[in-house]
């Protein structure tokens, strides 16, 4: 069942490990089959070394486990909320990667300070407001997703494929698990460079024109970057 | 004698090396058998590459060497003081890991700035006061332990399983050697993210509600993180 | 065709990977055969693991592809502009290496703060002005090259073999691809040390005399560093 | 001739590479045979991968090459000056390790901020004054050594086995090449932690009592750290 999506989701989880974005069992990636209305997600608190495609947990969009012997990631409800609100995304990744988490903990959005950022994020990487005590004491994981969705009012999720949750850490997403993990890795690099940049110059940032030029160089109908064929 | 505890203690020492927490022979881990009243600790100043379970030193709670040909870690008396005062802990780890040490040298506790912290530490990671000259010139290693214990008045050591010794470096602990080393590794990651966070925003921190939510997600009777089975 | 230059250009690209200067497919290196008026450049957006000498793209100085099945790097026009204006260089390298990019994003030149810098750069590493909206909306990649050239009025490109493009990232160059990649690697190290230095002391820098002494120790007719033979 | 010293000097050079203290051919280590009045030093600008004991250059204390086909390190005269002035040292190491170099470029001594520092350096790591233009234009490499020696008036070189040269980088030394390289490695770790510490708290430092306690724990007749035997 969903064999390819399980493999792709596992591979996205492992990419987070290879790139140094996760420590121990931190982090999780999921992917969705829109036609089946089913989500494949990493099990909770399992060593990455031991992960196999068959350990991936399959749930429906209400969070009911449809297949899999293990508990799904404790962040499942955030993933599901994002899939329901952001209908053009195909995968979600959550990490506590160090630099992006520092921005999230500081409660600051990551401003667009250069073309590395603009190549991937068509505007600042937003940071949610802090959750209220009621939201934390209530359906906390779901409310985390709602805070992201609230913050993205008027923003195309695929044009800015990541968010910082204040006091917590980043979520990233994409068209598929490979794309979402890639965005999470670039987000961490962008966050690191932005950290150093604001220490060197607290007043800087790219122009709208440069943001557009670089973003549309890699995205949309007029993209010019890369190859049409694979070598 | 205490074969399993020796292996677990050695393994905890090696985990510190693998995770980049120790340089050369810095750092030490110990474990206690509460029923035997005996402590297993790394020998002093020995290369990690050469360490074998049989090199571990066994002492009683007065510090008398019961087994082992080598000198115990020069920090033995701090470990023993912690075991006597914190009766619910089963292992102690000491490192000079870079970021946690920077906080200790700065004489600042690590505030709870995010959920990574809250998942492991139910409040700030405390920093001791500076030792007096008399304490330094007297039974210094013991007095280091006493300063930690003094600082933990009213704090459950397993709820905040680490301390910073001012002008020195961190100690971490846990239920067993694996747990103590794990806490030391997470402490270093938390210290690194907190360092960057306070440079980005000198005024931030998580709410009590968020601290509770994340801490009790991983600890206590109502913990929901992870699996009940092992894969 | 240009077999040795293709190999050297590929090797320069791979050196950027080995030294941690590029993430994914970021970055590109090219080399020029002055006698043939032909440039060898990395193809756009191709995984470094898959790169072989025969994938290198050959163009003339107008940008026309003379050989190669793949699209050339999207930064080709910047490389060509530099080759035409800086007639003594033989290779160009572009990366988004983290620390040099932070300086570029901050819009600050890297001042000559020590002898590591002076050994390679006979003066600050200049930062271009920001491009105007018209320049960005027009022939952007070419205009990036023009901004570098404008900034180097009165500077010998081989005496200061790198530039920062404001809001973007560094370009480096050299006599040949090996030399250009080497300069890009040293630039990143110099940028990292300069970042820390200005946080420790916002007012410092080497004297003209020390800058000269170290630069001419490694460059020009009176250089004394290294060997006349290879071991 | 001096076979063991050559091997030990090469090994010290390679330790600098393994610990990430040198980039490309940066850095050099030497050792002295006091009874022979001869110094063994790394050749200038040679790849570390290719280095063999027989490539080491032997000179007398005037700098005359007694054995070896290659040019000695361009920093030879600094090494020789240190050997002549600091008669209790047996080896010298020079690197451009990143954090120690940042302090040197900032022209700031590294204050004793914690016990890691105190275990190795019995006081701040001094920074020389800047050289005058005449000193730079004259016998520059020798004058670098003289500036270190001037700064160490009243300091036992083995009690503080490293110096920062302003606008340049660190030199470290020790009883033998192994010891000198070890001190250079610890200096870099101490410099990194001190960098973070002063950003967290610009006013801190250890007491005289703690400095003494830790320094004499590892040094001198009453040292208690480590083993009397080797395992």
């Amino acid at each position: 069942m969903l064999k390819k999506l399980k493999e792709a989701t596992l591979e996205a989880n492992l990419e987070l490990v290879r790139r140094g974005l996760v420590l121990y069992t931190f982090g999780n990636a999921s992917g969705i089959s829109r036609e089946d209305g089913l989500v494949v997600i990493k099990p909770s608190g399992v060593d990455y070394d031991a992960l196999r495609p068959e350990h991936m947990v399959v749930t429906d969009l209400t969070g009911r486990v449809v297949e899999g012997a293990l508990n799904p990631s404790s962040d499942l409800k955030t993933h599901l909320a994002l899939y329901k609100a952001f209908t053009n995304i195909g995968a979600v990744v959550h990490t506590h990667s160090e630099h992006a988490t520092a921005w999230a903990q500081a409660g600051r959005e990551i401003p667009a300070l250069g073309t590395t950022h603009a190549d991937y994020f068509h505007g600042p990487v937003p940071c949610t407001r802090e959750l209220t005590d009621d939201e934390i004491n209530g359906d906390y994981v779901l409310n985390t997703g709602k805070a992201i969705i609230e913050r993205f009012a008027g923003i195309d999720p695929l044009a800015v494929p990541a968010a910082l949750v204040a006091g917590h850490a980043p979520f990233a997403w994409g068209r598929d698990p490979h794309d979402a993990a890639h965005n999470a890795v670039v987000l961490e690099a962008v966050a690191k460079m932005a950290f150093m940049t604001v220490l060197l110059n607290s007043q800087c940032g790219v122009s709208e024109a440069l943001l557009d030029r670089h973003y549309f160089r890699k995205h949309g109908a007029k993209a010019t970057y890369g190859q049409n064929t694979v070598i």
Side-chain angles (χ1 to χ4, degrees), chain A:
Chain A
M1 187 172 175
L2 299 173
K3 185 164 179 292
K4 286 205 169 164
L5 187 58
K6 283 179 184 169
E7 288 169 1
T9 305
L10 172 57
E11 174 59 23
N13 277 292
L14 296 179
E15 174 70 355
L16 305 179
V17 178
R18 278 193 298 265
R19 299 289 174 168
L21 269 72
V22 299
L23 180 66
Y24 290 126
T25 63
F26 298 7
N28 43 72
S30 71
I32 188 169
S33 164
R34 291 283 176 186
E35 57 262 47
D36 299 305
L38 293 176
V39 168
V40 169
I41 193 164
K42 171 175 167 279
S44 177
V46 169
D47 277 356
Y48 283 92
D49 284 351
L51 275 188
R52 299 288 172 271
E54 59 268 27
H55 294 133
M56 298 292 118
V57 184
V58 183
T59 80
D60 63 21
L61 278 163
T62 70
R64 195 173 58 88
V65 173
V66 171
E67 192 187 73
L70 297 164
N71 299 335
S73 163
S74 58
D75 293 309
L76 173 64
K77 284 189 180 178
T78 310
H79 290 241
L80 297 178
L82 296 178
Y83 287 126
K84 283 187 263 191
F86 299 164
T87 53
N88 56 354
I89 69 173
V92 172
V93 162
H94 173 51
T95 80
H96 288 207
S97 70
E98 293 172 347
H99 294 83
T101 299
W103 285 91
Q105 291 189 158
R108 289 178 63 169
E109 67 178 22
I110 304 177
L113 300 178
T115 61
T116 326
H117 184 119
D119 279 341
Y120 287 84
F121 304 98
H122 193 223
V125 177
C127 185
T128 68
R129 63 172 172 77
E130 291 183 25
L131 296 189
T132 65
D133 284 9
D134 279 354
E135 287 171 324
I136 292 166
N137 294 325
D139 202 341
Y140 166 65
V141 180
L142 172 62
N143 291 334
T144 296
K146 286 184 175 175
I148 295 173
I149 294 158
E150 175 190 313
R151 185 64 187 78
F152 269 67
I155 302 176
D156 173 4
L158 280 185
V160 182
L164 307 177
V165 177
H168 189 154
F171 281 81
W173 46 78
R175 292 184 308 276
D176 55 45
H178 175 275
D179 190 38
H182 186 97
N183 289 337
V185 172
V186 173
L187 174 66
E188 176 60 10
V190 162
K192 182 175 182 185
M193 296 194 293
F195 169 72
M196 296 187 285
T197 303
V198 298
L199 292 188
L200 288 172
N201 182 354
S202 61
Q203 301 293 332
C204 58
V206 296
S207 65
E208 275 300 303
L210 192 58
L211 186 63
D212 286 351
R213 165 62 74 167
H214 267 265
Y215 185 74
F216 293 115
R217 190 175 72 107
K218 286 204 174 180
H219 300 86
K222 298 187 178 175
T224 58
Y225 184 85
Q227 309 294 332
N228 298 317
T229 55
V230 174
I231 63 169

